[in-house]
Each structure stands twice: as C-alpha cells, then as structure tokens.
C-alpha cells in the first residue's frame, strides 16, 4: 500500500486522471484498482469518477512494481546503427518504449540492448539508465544511449543546451502554408486527458521548424528540425496548425486516411541525428531509413 497526500494542483480532479499522474499507472489501470476497492481517501473507498479533496490522504494498493532494471527482451527489427565504448545508436522500431515504466508492459530499448549484451551507463534513474533522449513508443528512428558515465553527462548537457541536430520526417495531412516555417507555442499536459499533451498557457517553451520536401494530393512530407524536445512536440504542433501526422488519430488524424494507408501509428520518423561525440568531440551523423509501414503509406499517397 502507498499513502499519497492530495497535491494542491490536483484538488477537484477525477481519481482516475489524478492518480495516473501521481503514480505513472495508466488511467485504465487506476480504474481497475478503483473497481477492486484498492483506492481509498481517508479510509473511504473511491470510484474512478470521484473527486480529490484538499487536505486528504489517498491510500492506493499498488500492483507489484516491475524490476528496477530492464529485463532482457529481444526485439525483432531493432538494429544497432553505431557502437563504440562510449555510445550506442539504435534504429528503434515503432511499438518499442525507450525504457521500462509503470503502465507499460511491452518491450523497450534498454531491455533489447541487454538482450544484445550491450552494457549501458549506470547514471540516471534505475529504470532509464543511459537514456539521454527518448522517442515515443509510436515513433521510429535513430536514438542514442550512453554506455559510459562521462558520455552520459556530456550528452545530457548537449541535449539540454540544444546542441544536437534532431531531424525528423513527418507525413502530415493537407498542405502546409507556408511551405517552410516555425511553430513556436508552449506545450504542457492536456488539462483533461492526461495521456495527451496540448498547447497551453504556462506550458514549456516549444519550437519546431519545418520544410516541405514533397507534396502529394492529400499530404505533405516535411523535414522537421526540433529546437526543443518536448513530449509529443511534433504531433501537437502539427495538429495545432491543422495538419496532424497521417495515422495519428490521438491528435486528430483522419481515420479513413489511416485505414487507406494501413497505418496503426503516426507517420513520424527520427530520420537523422547529428551530434559531437561526447568524448572525442568529432561531429557524427546517424541516419535511419524509413521502415516498411511508412514506405507503404508514402507510396499509397504518392500514387493515389
């Protein structure tokens, strides 16, 4: 059992939404715990739609935690783009998390590296050791992990200071106008859907630069340079200007277009990663080709 005082910022929130934020569990898992009588406030059993009260204490019968370290989990389709004694760059498939977390039971990059007998840095939280930058579960492409402690420290600073070139390709619905531009809008947690992000007052600074590299009848293929690296940044910004990533129904994509292209995730790929090697200082560029599902969707829209 875990005791959680109700934070001021979550007073009045629904139990399922608030506890998902407080514990890292999915909202559906919290709802399941409520149905089992596993969530109580000041001794009274709570339902998922009950509201949190200021000054109260929440008792939660949490499930057994996953092991702190990643379990070895071989992942079909995940390959190593580059490896030396300091860093490893992987080509992450969609459907793979960056690291283990509560509420996620699928495979992850760290577990896959462990299965490959690749040792990573011990710096960072136990469940995300060596991780200096993450990709969404549904986003594929190049991702770097630190193998040594000094490399971890230098890379974390490089990402924080925006010294890393992160180039994505995104297939977005409709046609971007202008064809080159910058979206500068703050991003924070969605006020009513905790699994989503949104443009909100008081959110964190978020800057996205884009250039259309190919236009098709129903979509544009854009190259995107991230100046910042917020959760779901490209997906939120593209949706906000009326051009969600094809297949990204979470952020407003057309379901009919998803079905037509066969996509079950957003058309978004971390295509190129450029950075100074954390130890030698040599500038290095890593490129990840499009995976098969994105190639197929692109061909469908090109030749429609």
């Amino acid at each position: 059992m875990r005791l959680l005082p109700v934070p001021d910022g979550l007073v009045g929130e629904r139990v399922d939404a608030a506890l998902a934020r407080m514990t890292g569990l999915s909202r559906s898992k919290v709802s399941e715990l409520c149905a089992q009588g596993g969530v109580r406030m000041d001794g009274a059993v709570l339902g998922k739609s009950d509201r949190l009260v200021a000054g109260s204490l929440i008792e939660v019968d949490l499930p057994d935690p996953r092991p702190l370290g990643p379990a070895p989990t071989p992942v079909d389709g995940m390959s190593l783009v580059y490896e030396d004694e300091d860093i490893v760059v992987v080509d992450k498939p969609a459907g793979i998390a960056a690291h283990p977390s509560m509420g996620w039971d699928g495979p992850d990059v760290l577990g896959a590296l462990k299965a490959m007998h690749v040792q990573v840095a011990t710096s960072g939280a136990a469940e995300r050791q060596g991780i200096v930058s993450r990709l969404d579960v549904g986003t594929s492409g190049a991702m770097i992990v630190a193998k040594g402690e000094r490399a971890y420290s230098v890379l974390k600073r490089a990402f924080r200071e925006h010294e890393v070139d992160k180039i994505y390709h995104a297939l977005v619905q409709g046609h971007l106008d202008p064809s080159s531009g910058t979206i500068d809008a703050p991003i924070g947690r969605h006020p009513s859907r905790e699994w989503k992000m949104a443009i909100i007052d008081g959110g964190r600074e978020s800057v996205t630069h884009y250039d259309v590299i190919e236009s098709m009848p129903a979509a544009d293929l854009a190259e995107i340079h991230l100046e910042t690296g917020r959760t779901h940044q490209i997906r939120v910004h593209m949706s906000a200007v009326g051009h969600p990533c094809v297949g990204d129904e979470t952020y407003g994509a057309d379901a009919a277009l998803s079905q037509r292209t066969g996509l079950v995730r957003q058309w978004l790929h971390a295509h190129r990663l450029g950075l100074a090697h954390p130890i030698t200082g040599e500038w290095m560029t890593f490129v990840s080709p499009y995976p098969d599902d994105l190639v197929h969707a692109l061909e469908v829209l090109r030749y429609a």
Side-chain angles (χ1 to χ4, degrees):
M1 184 182 71
R2 186 174 174 186
L3 297 176
L4 303 168
V6 174
D8 291 342
L10 293 179
V11 171
E13 290 282 332
R14 284 174 54 112
V15 169
D16 53 358
L19 283 185
R21 294 191 193 183
M22 294 165 69
T23 64
L25 296 174
S26 67
R27 193 165 178 171
S28 60
K29 185 62 178 178
V30 174
S31 298
E32 183 181 321
L33 287 175
C34 289
Q36 296 169 351
V39 181
R40 297 168 295 280
M41 183 167 61
D42 299 331
V45 174
L46 292 176
K48 65 179 182 180
S49 59
D50 289 336
R51 305 283 173 169
L52 298 188
V53 176
S56 294
L57 193 65
I58 307 298
E59 303 172 40
V60 187
D61 296 333
L62 289 174
D64 292 335
R66 294 181 63 173
L68 290 177
T73 51
V75 172
D76 290 336
M78 194 183 96
S79 61
L80 303 186
V81 176
Y82 174 84
E83 182 185 10
D84 62 25
E85 62 183 6
D86 304 299
I87 61 174
V88 59
V89 179
V90 305
D91 198 347
K92 186 187 89 67
I96 309 300
H99 58 75
S101 61
M102 292 185 69
W104 172 253
D105 295 322
D108 58 80
V109 169
L110 291 184
L113 287 175
K114 194 168 186 177
M116 294 175 172
H117 306 290
V118 175
Q119 298 297 314
V120 301
T122 58
S123 299
E127 74 279 3
R128 63 179 89 175
Q129 291 177 345
I131 297 292
V132 293
S133 182
R134 295 176 290 179
L135 293 178
D136 292 345
V137 170
T139 299
S140 52
M143 177 181 155
I144 188 168
V145 179
K147 293 180 65 179
E149 311 312 316
R150 184 180 170 200
Y152 177 88
S153 177
V154 172
L155 286 173
K156 286 292 285 186
R157 182 194 57 79
F159 276 97
R160 185 171 59 250
E161 300 297 327
H162 314 311
E163 296 172 353
V164 178
D165 283 344
K166 297 174 286 185
I167 307 299
Y168 292 74
H169 283 185
L171 187 65
V172 302
Q173 292 180 194
H175 299 107
L176 289 159
D177 185 16
S179 58
S180 295
T182 296
I183 306 168
D184 184 349
I187 292 176
R189 188 69 59 181
H190 194 287
S192 61
R193 295 176 176 83
E194 85 283 348
W195 66 90
K196 291 179 64 175
M197 307 301 286
I199 293 174
I200 59 171
D201 291 337
R204 301 179 70 188
E205 178 190 18
S206 306
V207 181
T208 301
H209 306 283
Y210 70 86
D211 294 281
V212 174
I213 54 180
E214 183 181 351
S215 286
M216 288 150 267
D220 277 346
L221 180 63
E223 182 165 286
I224 295 174
H225 169 72
L226 288 184
E227 189 170 317
T228 54
R230 309 305 178 206
T231 301
H232 297 182
Q233 179 172 322
I234 295 171
R235 301 166 65 190
V236 171
H237 274 176
M238 288 296 145
S239 177
V241 297
H243 301 285
C245 296
V246 175
D248 193 3
E249 295 177 33
T250 297
Y251 287 101
D254 180 3
L257 197 58
S258 301
Q259 185 174 11
R260 180 177 158 198
T261 57
L263 285 173
V264 293
R265 53 107 166 191
Q266 65 269 14
W267 204 114
L268 180 60
H269 186 68
H271 179 59
R272 192 164 72 249
L273 184 66
L275 49 81
H277 189 281
I279 306 303
T280 68
E282 176 189 0
W283 187 260
M284 309 182 79
T285 301
F286 307 102
V287 176
S288 168
Y290 301 158
D292 291 344
D293 62 334
L294 301 191
V295 171
H296 174 75
L298 200 55
E299 291 178 347
V300 167
L301 294 183
R302 273 176 177 157
Y303 304 115

